[in-house]
mmCIF file of all heavy atoms in Angstrom:
data_model
loop_
_atom_site.group_PDB
_atom_site.id
_atom_site.type_symbol
_atom_site.label_atom_id
_atom_site.label_comp_id
_atom_site.label_asym_id
_atom_site.label_seq_id
_atom_site.Cartn_x
_atom_site.Cartn_y
_atom_site.Cartn_z
ATOM 1 N N ASP U 16 22.203 -50.825 3.649
ATOM 2 C CA ASP U 16 20.751 -51.047 4.143
ATOM 3 C C ASP U 16 19.883 -49.860 3.823
ATOM 4 O O ASP U 16 18.771 -49.935 3.542
ATOM 5 C CB ASP U 16 20.765 -51.240 5.600
ATOM 6 C CG ASP U 16 21.562 -52.503 6.051
ATOM 7 O OD1 ASP U 16 21.542 -53.523 5.289
ATOM 8 O OD2 ASP U 16 22.170 -52.643 7.062
ATOM 9 N N ASP U 17 20.568 -48.559 3.943
ATOM 10 C CA ASP U 17 19.733 -47.337 3.672
ATOM 11 C C ASP U 17 20.690 -46.351 3.060
ATOM 12 O O ASP U 17 21.619 -45.848 3.747
ATOM 13 C CB ASP U 17 19.239 -46.843 4.987
ATOM 14 C CG ASP U 17 18.342 -45.668 4.797
ATOM 15 O OD1 ASP U 17 18.421 -45.014 3.682
ATOM 16 O OD2 ASP U 17 17.719 -45.206 5.856
ATOM 17 N N PRO U 18 20.602 -46.076 1.692
ATOM 18 C CA PRO U 18 21.420 -45.123 1.159
ATOM 19 C C PRO U 18 21.425 -43.758 1.581
ATOM 20 O O PRO U 18 22.249 -42.839 1.287
ATOM 21 C CB PRO U 18 21.072 -45.215 -0.418
ATOM 22 C CG PRO U 18 19.691 -45.745 -0.382
ATOM 23 C CD PRO U 18 19.542 -46.669 0.876
ATOM 24 N N LEU U 19 20.378 -43.378 2.358
ATOM 25 C CA LEU U 19 20.377 -42.110 2.998
ATOM 26 C C LEU U 19 21.100 -41.890 4.349
ATOM 27 O O LEU U 19 21.145 -40.818 4.839
ATOM 28 C CB LEU U 19 18.763 -41.740 3.300
ATOM 29 C CG LEU U 19 17.931 -41.665 2.003
ATOM 30 C CD1 LEU U 19 16.489 -41.360 2.399
ATOM 31 C CD2 LEU U 19 18.530 -40.727 0.983
ATOM 32 N N LYS U 20 21.678 -43.085 4.876
ATOM 33 C CA LYS U 20 22.423 -43.023 6.037
ATOM 34 C C LYS U 20 23.885 -43.439 5.685
ATOM 35 O O LYS U 20 24.179 -44.220 4.902
ATOM 36 C CB LYS U 20 21.891 -44.075 7.024
ATOM 37 C CG LYS U 20 20.517 -43.639 7.549
ATOM 38 C CD LYS U 20 20.002 -44.542 8.530
ATOM 39 C CE LYS U 20 18.636 -44.237 9.008
ATOM 40 N NZ LYS U 20 17.951 -45.267 9.864
ATOM 41 N N PRO U 21 24.820 -42.718 6.412
ATOM 42 C CA PRO U 21 26.238 -43.035 6.173
ATOM 43 C C PRO U 21 26.631 -44.418 6.695
ATOM 44 O O PRO U 21 26.092 -44.949 7.611
ATOM 45 C CB PRO U 21 27.020 -42.017 7.016
ATOM 46 C CG PRO U 21 25.929 -41.253 7.763
ATOM 47 C CD PRO U 21 24.500 -41.608 7.418
ATOM 48 N N GLY U 22 27.454 -45.148 5.890
ATOM 49 C CA GLY U 22 27.898 -46.432 6.260
ATOM 50 C C GLY U 22 28.973 -46.375 7.243
ATOM 51 O O GLY U 22 29.475 -45.253 7.709
ATOM 52 N N PRO U 23 29.491 -47.496 7.562
ATOM 53 C CA PRO U 23 30.539 -47.621 8.701
ATOM 54 C C PRO U 23 31.927 -47.047 8.431
ATOM 55 O O PRO U 23 32.688 -46.643 9.354
ATOM 56 C CB PRO U 23 30.664 -49.198 8.874
ATOM 57 C CG PRO U 23 30.277 -49.759 7.674
ATOM 58 C CD PRO U 23 29.149 -48.833 7.144
ATOM 59 N N GLY U 24 32.276 -46.806 7.065
ATOM 60 C CA GLY U 24 33.511 -46.240 6.797
ATOM 61 C C GLY U 24 33.500 -44.712 6.753
ATOM 62 O O GLY U 24 34.519 -44.148 6.425
ATOM 63 N N THR U 25 32.387 -44.097 6.997
ATOM 64 C CA THR U 25 32.257 -42.672 6.848
ATOM 65 C C THR U 25 33.069 -42.023 8.040
ATOM 66 O O THR U 25 33.080 -42.470 9.203
ATOM 67 C CB THR U 25 30.795 -42.199 7.016
ATOM 68 O OG1 THR U 25 30.028 -42.862 5.939
ATOM 69 C CG2 THR U 25 30.602 -40.715 6.966
ATOM 70 N N ASN U 26 33.823 -40.954 7.566
ATOM 71 C CA ASN U 26 34.542 -40.167 8.615
ATOM 72 C C ASN U 26 34.378 -38.743 8.450
ATOM 73 O O ASN U 26 35.359 -37.936 8.772
ATOM 74 C CB ASN U 26 35.993 -40.667 8.632
ATOM 75 C CG ASN U 26 36.773 -40.149 7.379
ATOM 76 O OD1 ASN U 26 36.258 -39.518 6.531
ATOM 77 N ND2 ASN U 26 38.115 -40.527 7.273
ATOM 78 N N MET U 27 33.180 -38.275 7.890
ATOM 79 C CA MET U 27 33.123 -36.830 7.585
ATOM 80 C C MET U 27 33.326 -36.026 8.807
ATOM 81 O O MET U 27 32.810 -36.287 9.928
ATOM 82 C CB MET U 27 31.620 -36.556 7.007
ATOM 83 C CG MET U 27 31.450 -37.278 5.729
ATOM 84 S SD MET U 27 32.389 -36.706 4.396
ATOM 85 C CE MET U 27 31.734 -35.039 3.979
ATOM 86 N N GLN U 28 34.033 -34.892 8.666
ATOM 87 C CA GLN U 28 34.399 -34.025 9.816
ATOM 88 C C GLN U 28 34.214 -32.526 9.214
ATOM 89 O O GLN U 28 34.171 -32.257 8.045
ATOM 90 C CB GLN U 28 35.793 -34.154 10.307
ATOM 91 C CG GLN U 28 35.955 -35.429 10.934
ATOM 92 C CD GLN U 28 35.371 -35.611 12.271
ATOM 93 O OE1 GLN U 28 35.136 -34.653 12.976
ATOM 94 N NE2 GLN U 28 35.092 -36.886 12.712
ATOM 95 N N THR U 29 34.091 -31.609 10.182
ATOM 96 C CA THR U 29 33.962 -30.136 9.827
ATOM 97 C C THR U 29 35.444 -29.699 9.279
ATOM 98 O O THR U 29 36.382 -30.367 9.539
ATOM 99 C CB THR U 29 33.717 -29.313 11.054
ATOM 100 O OG1 THR U 29 34.905 -29.352 11.934
ATOM 101 C CG2 THR U 29 32.422 -29.722 11.629
ATOM 102 N N PRO U 30 35.440 -28.709 8.367
ATOM 103 C CA PRO U 30 36.684 -28.223 7.854
ATOM 104 C C PRO U 30 37.611 -27.871 9.027
ATOM 105 O O PRO U 30 38.871 -28.026 8.866
ATOM 106 C CB PRO U 30 36.308 -27.043 7.032
ATOM 107 C CG PRO U 30 34.933 -26.803 7.203
ATOM 108 C CD PRO U 30 34.253 -27.967 7.855
ATOM 109 N N GLU U 31 37.066 -27.214 10.056
ATOM 110 C CA GLU U 31 37.867 -26.861 11.252
ATOM 111 C C GLU U 31 38.614 -27.925 11.848
ATOM 112 O O GLU U 31 39.776 -27.982 12.199
ATOM 113 C CB GLU U 31 37.041 -26.103 12.349
ATOM 114 C CG GLU U 31 36.479 -24.729 11.805
ATOM 115 C CD GLU U 31 35.329 -24.919 10.900
ATOM 116 O OE1 GLU U 31 34.672 -26.156 10.809
ATOM 117 O OE2 GLU U 31 34.855 -23.834 10.320
ATOM 118 N N LYS U 32 37.846 -29.177 12.004
ATOM 119 C CA LYS U 32 38.528 -30.395 12.561
ATOM 120 C C LYS U 32 39.637 -30.855 11.583
ATOM 121 O O LYS U 32 40.637 -31.329 12.102
ATOM 122 C CB LYS U 32 37.442 -31.466 12.853
ATOM 123 C CG LYS U 32 38.017 -32.710 13.355
ATOM 124 C CD LYS U 32 38.606 -32.602 14.669
ATOM 125 C CE LYS U 32 39.140 -34.036 15.169
ATOM 126 N NZ LYS U 32 39.999 -33.958 16.297
ATOM 127 N N ARG U 33 39.334 -30.846 10.347
ATOM 128 C CA ARG U 33 40.293 -31.370 9.348
ATOM 129 C C ARG U 33 41.663 -30.609 9.316
ATOM 130 O O ARG U 33 42.686 -31.186 8.869
ATOM 131 C CB ARG U 33 39.714 -31.512 8.005
ATOM 132 C CG ARG U 33 38.546 -32.501 7.879
ATOM 133 C CD ARG U 33 37.856 -32.622 6.610
ATOM 134 N NE ARG U 33 38.853 -33.059 5.620
ATOM 135 C CZ ARG U 33 38.532 -32.994 4.206
ATOM 136 N NH1 ARG U 33 37.354 -32.672 3.916
ATOM 137 N NH2 ARG U 33 39.415 -33.410 3.327
ATOM 138 N N VAL U 34 41.648 -29.392 9.813
ATOM 139 C CA VAL U 34 42.914 -28.597 9.770
ATOM 140 C C VAL U 34 43.335 -28.305 11.243
ATOM 141 O O VAL U 34 44.289 -27.551 11.322
ATOM 142 C CB VAL U 34 42.801 -27.277 8.995
ATOM 143 C CG1 VAL U 34 42.528 -27.567 7.447
ATOM 144 C CG2 VAL U 34 41.586 -26.409 9.448
ATOM 145 N N GLU U 35 42.720 -28.818 12.145
ATOM 146 C CA GLU U 35 43.096 -28.665 13.583
ATOM 147 C C GLU U 35 44.618 -28.753 13.933
ATOM 148 O O GLU U 35 45.324 -28.010 14.471
ATOM 149 C CB GLU U 35 42.252 -29.458 14.562
ATOM 150 C CG GLU U 35 42.656 -29.443 16.005
ATOM 151 C CD GLU U 35 41.911 -30.435 16.790
ATOM 152 O OE1 GLU U 35 41.823 -31.645 16.330
ATOM 153 O OE2 GLU U 35 41.409 -30.064 17.920
ATOM 154 N N HIS U 36 45.112 -29.833 13.340
ATOM 155 C CA HIS U 36 46.546 -30.203 13.613
ATOM 156 C C HIS U 36 47.391 -29.214 12.800
ATOM 157 O O HIS U 36 48.592 -28.904 13.252
ATOM 158 C CB HIS U 36 46.857 -31.622 13.254
ATOM 159 C CG HIS U 36 46.527 -31.933 11.859
ATOM 160 N ND1 HIS U 36 45.236 -32.007 11.365
ATOM 161 C CD2 HIS U 36 47.307 -32.438 10.821
ATOM 162 C CE1 HIS U 36 45.243 -32.380 10.064
ATOM 163 N NE2 HIS U 36 46.497 -32.661 9.728
ATOM 164 N N ILE U 37 46.974 -28.716 11.722
ATOM 165 C CA ILE U 37 47.727 -27.767 10.801
ATOM 166 C C ILE U 37 47.876 -26.475 11.656
ATOM 167 O O ILE U 37 48.986 -25.779 11.826
ATOM 168 C CB ILE U 37 47.133 -27.529 9.491
ATOM 169 C CG1 ILE U 37 46.893 -28.853 8.849
ATOM 170 C CG2 ILE U 37 47.879 -26.543 8.671
ATOM 171 C CD1 ILE U 37 48.149 -29.679 8.661
ATOM 172 N N VAL U 38 46.771 -25.917 12.175
ATOM 173 C CA VAL U 38 46.734 -24.707 12.973
ATOM 174 C C VAL U 38 47.634 -24.828 14.144
ATOM 175 O O VAL U 38 48.423 -24.006 14.517
ATOM 176 C CB VAL U 38 45.358 -24.327 13.297
ATOM 177 C CG1 VAL U 38 45.235 -23.196 14.245
ATOM 178 C CG2 VAL U 38 44.528 -24.069 12.059
ATOM 179 N N ALA U 39 47.631 -26.035 14.927
ATOM 180 C CA ALA U 39 48.402 -26.167 16.081
ATOM 181 C C ALA U 39 49.789 -26.387 15.847
ATOM 182 O O ALA U 39 50.595 -25.865 16.582
ATOM 183 C CB ALA U 39 47.803 -27.338 16.803
ATOM 184 N N LEU U 40 50.241 -27.080 14.830
ATOM 185 C CA LEU U 40 51.582 -27.614 14.610
ATOM 186 C C LEU U 40 52.409 -26.735 13.540
ATOM 187 O O LEU U 40 53.532 -26.751 13.503
ATOM 188 C CB LEU U 40 51.725 -28.973 14.324
ATOM 189 C CG LEU U 40 51.071 -29.904 15.485
ATOM 190 C CD1 LEU U 40 51.052 -31.327 14.968
ATOM 191 C CD2 LEU U 40 51.846 -29.760 16.668
ATOM 192 N N GLN U 41 51.660 -26.083 12.706
ATOM 193 C CA GLN U 41 52.228 -25.196 11.614
ATOM 194 C C GLN U 41 53.441 -25.775 10.906
ATOM 195 O O GLN U 41 54.570 -25.498 10.944
ATOM 196 C CB GLN U 41 52.705 -23.900 12.319
ATOM 197 C CG GLN U 41 51.553 -23.143 12.901
ATOM 198 C CD GLN U 41 52.010 -21.873 13.601
ATOM 199 O OE1 GLN U 41 53.051 -21.660 14.004
ATOM 200 N NE2 GLN U 41 51.065 -20.879 13.575
ATOM 201 N N PRO U 42 53.104 -26.994 10.197
ATOM 202 C CA PRO U 42 54.143 -27.509 9.282
ATOM 203 C C PRO U 42 54.471 -26.595 8.175
ATOM 204 O O PRO U 42 53.700 -25.610 7.951
ATOM 205 C CB PRO U 42 53.440 -28.860 8.877
ATOM 206 C CG PRO U 42 52.046 -28.524 8.795
ATOM 207 C CD PRO U 42 51.747 -27.568 9.944
ATOM 208 N N GLU U 43 55.427 -26.945 7.424
ATOM 209 C CA GLU U 43 55.785 -26.027 6.252
ATOM 210 C C GLU U 43 54.770 -26.213 5.194
ATOM 211 O O GLU U 43 54.412 -25.227 4.450
ATOM 212 C CB GLU U 43 57.202 -26.457 5.697
ATOM 213 C CG GLU U 43 58.309 -25.967 6.551
ATOM 214 C CD GLU U 43 58.741 -27.136 7.657
ATOM 215 O OE1 GLU U 43 57.987 -28.178 7.701
ATOM 216 O OE2 GLU U 43 59.580 -26.867 8.306
ATOM 217 N N ILE U 44 54.219 -27.432 4.964
ATOM 218 C CA ILE U 44 53.226 -27.773 3.881
ATOM 219 C C ILE U 44 52.184 -28.589 4.497
ATOM 220 O O ILE U 44 52.412 -29.415 5.539
ATOM 221 C CB ILE U 44 53.949 -28.504 2.742
ATOM 222 C CG1 ILE U 44 55.168 -27.719 2.248
ATOM 223 C CG2 ILE U 44 53.008 -28.818 1.658
ATOM 224 C CD1 ILE U 44 56.005 -28.576 1.232
ATOM 225 N N CYS U 45 50.956 -28.527 3.895
ATOM 226 C CA CYS U 45 49.919 -29.488 4.133
ATOM 227 C C CYS U 45 49.089 -29.771 2.805
ATOM 228 O O CYS U 45 49.083 -28.861 2.069
ATOM 229 C CB CYS U 45 49.021 -29.058 5.300
ATOM 230 S SG CYS U 45 47.908 -27.768 4.865
ATOM 231 N N SER U 46 48.598 -30.989 2.783
ATOM 232 C CA SER U 46 47.752 -31.285 1.564
ATOM 233 C C SER U 46 46.436 -30.554 1.740
ATOM 234 O O SER U 46 45.961 -30.341 2.740
ATOM 235 C CB SER U 46 47.550 -32.830 1.428
ATOM 236 O OG SER U 46 46.836 -33.256 2.557
ATOM 237 N N LEU U 47 45.886 -30.277 0.494
ATOM 238 C CA LEU U 47 44.532 -29.735 0.467
ATOM 239 C C LEU U 47 43.879 -30.333 -0.721
ATOM 240 O O LEU U 47 44.202 -29.931 -1.895
ATOM 241 C CB LEU U 47 44.581 -28.123 0.381
ATOM 242 C CG LEU U 47 43.126 -27.406 0.278
ATOM 243 C CD1 LEU U 47 42.317 -27.688 1.513
ATOM 244 C CD2 LEU U 47 43.257 -25.885 0.129
ATOM 245 N N ASP U 48 42.961 -31.269 -0.470
ATOM 246 C CA ASP U 48 42.338 -31.928 -1.585
ATOM 247 C C ASP U 48 41.275 -31.107 -2.207
ATOM 248 O O ASP U 48 40.450 -30.577 -1.503
ATOM 249 C CB ASP U 48 41.755 -33.241 -0.911
ATOM 250 C CG ASP U 48 42.718 -34.255 -0.470
ATOM 251 O OD1 ASP U 48 43.894 -34.048 -0.662
ATOM 252 O OD2 ASP U 48 42.372 -35.277 0.211
ATOM 253 N N LEU U 49 41.241 -31.070 -3.510
ATOM 254 C CA LEU U 49 40.153 -30.304 -4.149
ATOM 255 C C LEU U 49 39.115 -31.314 -4.831
ATOM 256 O O LEU U 49 38.238 -30.799 -5.553
ATOM 257 C CB LEU U 49 40.838 -29.456 -5.344
ATOM 258 C CG LEU U 49 41.838 -28.347 -4.829
ATOM 259 C CD1 LEU U 49 42.332 -27.481 -5.975
ATOM 260 C CD2 LEU U 49 41.311 -27.550 -3.671
ATOM 261 N N ASN U 50 39.288 -32.503 -4.659
ATOM 262 C CA ASN U 50 38.480 -33.521 -5.317
ATOM 263 C C ASN U 50 37.164 -33.867 -4.641
ATOM 264 O O ASN U 50 37.101 -33.923 -3.389
ATOM 265 C CB ASN U 50 39.226 -34.771 -5.511
ATOM 266 C CG ASN U 50 39.637 -35.509 -4.149
ATOM 267 O OD1 ASN U 50 39.995 -34.881 -3.338
ATOM 268 N ND2 ASN U 50 39.566 -36.787 -4.221
#
């Protein structure tokens, strides 16, 4: 309806939120997307 507004599948989050579980749980590895 409006290309200036996010659609229903948008899940954009802050970088801090995206790694919250990594900081808390400290797995051996985590993905880091560069794309």
Side-chain angles (χ1 to χ4, degrees):
D16 299 328
D17 183 349
L19 298 179
K20 294 182 181 175
T25 298
N26 69 2
M27 298 295 291
Q28 296 288 335
T29 66
E31 294 80 10
K32 175 64 178 171
R33 290 178 66 186
V34 295
E35 173 187 45
H36 58 297
I37 305 304
V38 172
L40 300 174
Q41 299 178 332
E43 291 86 357
I44 304 170
C45 71
S46 64
L47 180 60
D48 295 348
L49 300 187
N50 63 319

